[in-house]
Amino acid sequence: MKPQSRRSFLRSTMKLFLGIISSGIMVGTYSTEIERFWYQIKEIPLKVKRLPKSFIGWKIVHFSDVHLGFHYGVEEFQTVVHSINNINPDIIFFTGDLIELGNRNPENIIPLLKEIKTPPGGKWAVIGNHDYYLKEQVIKVLQKSNFMTLDNTHHFIENQDQKIYIAGIDDVMYGSPKIDKAIAGLSESDCVFLLSHEPDIADESSKYPISAQFSGHSHGGQVRLPFWGPIINQRLATKYMDGYYEVGVNKLPLYVNRGIGTTNLPIRLFCRPEITVFYLAQ
């Protein structure tokens, strides 16, 4: 190789190397500082079996997986609160993991959770696997913030003498989820929405007379690569990871929310944090 050719080769190699390093820095900065806080508001029409006519057109806001304490604080969550209030929902669902494992002061978020306006249909919640080691403490935080927190039980929303039922189960990973107990006393003609932190239990809940299931836990994979898909898989969210599904012979509508915060790594790539808005229809 001639000297000039060798210099050209070294120069080209150095440019390639620097380009790779620069690209890595840009991707790292984008995934940690930009996309992680670039909340997507997804609007979805949701057809629901047995939905009473008085609830047609109602808006449900669903959010999940705040993971307060893992590179995410109350200051960052303020934007989410404003977004939810601006949507002006009729019902609010939160499907668990309010805190990150190791956060022993969930009370810090009470003032902000209280700022989420209580809509006509109320604010509803279940706990997640990261909440579980402080289960009773997290439940009290949610209750003090005006969230009806469900633990293998149900309650109802009434409008014009018609009812829909909101059921919620204990965390699937560490708790004792009991779907039969959560919907005990309800009939096959009732409209029942089930809140479960982990989505893969839908294979079981689809066998019950449930109108729709709402879950989180997966973070949508958190990092998704083109032509590859998600690279971070959460146990009990490997089959149903992101978005809308129809599960089982009964085609149970299941929605898996990508969540607000992160876990394991404080990054998101091609998988923005999500606030979901459902418009109920028959």
Side-chain angles (χ1 to χ4, degrees), residues 114-126:
K114 281 185 174 181
E115 281 188 30
I116 298 176
K117 297 175 184 177
T118 302
K123 303 192 294 190
W124 304 80
V126 291

Side-chain angles (χ1 to χ4, degrees), residues 73-274:
V74 292
E75 298 83 5
E76 289 81 9
F77 189 63
Q78 183 78 61
T79 301
V80 176
V81 172
H82 289 160
S83 296
I84 291 173
N85 286 337
N86 288 338
I87 293 167
N88 194 29
D90 298 292
I91 308 171
I92 294 173
F93 290 159
F94 172 65
T95 49
D97 277 358
L98 180 66
I99 59 174
E100 175 75 8
L101 188 69
N103 181 351
R104 297 192 172 276
N105 297 294
E107 291 81 7
N108 292 344
I109 203 172
I110 290 176
L112 261 184
L113 288 175
K114 281 185 174 181
E115 281 188 30
I116 298 176
K117 297 175 184 177
T118 302
K123 303 192 294 190
W124 304 80
V126 291
I127 66 164
N129 57 298
H130 280 257
D131 302 319
Y132 204 78
Y133 74 106
L134 289 181
K135 177 180 176 179
E136 296 305 321
Q137 192 173 346
V138 172
I139 287 175
K140 287 180 180 179
V141 166
L142 289 165
Q143 290 174 337
K144 288 179 180 179
S145 306
N146 303 317
F147 279 82
M148 174 73 75
T149 308
L150 301 167
D151 187 6
N152 295 326
T153 188
H154 70 265
H155 212 298
F156 64 85
I157 302 168
E158 187 168 6
N159 184 42
Q160 299 178 16
D161 297 322
Q162 296 178 325
K163 294 179 180 177
I164 59 174
Y165 295 86
I166 316 300
I169 56 175
D170 196 8
D171 178 67
V172 180
M173 189 177 294
Y174 299 129
S176 299
K178 295 180 174 62
I179 299 172
D180 53 352
K181 182 180 178 182
I183 63 171
L186 301 181
S187 72
E188 294 190 1
S189 63
D190 291 320
C191 179
V192 184
F193 293 146
L194 177 68
L195 307 186
S196 167
H197 180 63
E198 290 89 349
D200 285 359
I201 200 173
D203 286 335
E204 180 67 22
S205 60
S206 67
K207 301 172 185 177
Y208 291 84
I210 292 169
S211 301
Q213 177 180 320
F214 302 83
S215 297
H217 182 59
S218 71
H219 300 228
Q222 203 166 290
V223 175
R224 303 177 74 95
L225 299 180
F227 310 110
W228 183 274
I231 66 169
I232 299 178
N233 295 315
Q234 303 288 347
R235 185 162 67 94
L236 298 175
T238 57
K239 189 171 183 179
Y240 308 111
M241 183 173 287
D242 181 21
Y244 179 81
Y245 301 87
E246 291 182 349
V247 181
V249 295
N250 294 323
K251 295 186 176 180
L252 169 71
L254 162 68
Y255 194 84
V256 185
N257 181 285
R258 291 196 302 262
I260 297 299
T262 58
T263 189
N264 298 319
L265 295 170
I267 60 175
R268 279 188 180 270
L269 187 62
F270 303 119
C271 189
R272 291 168 59 188
E274 175 182 353

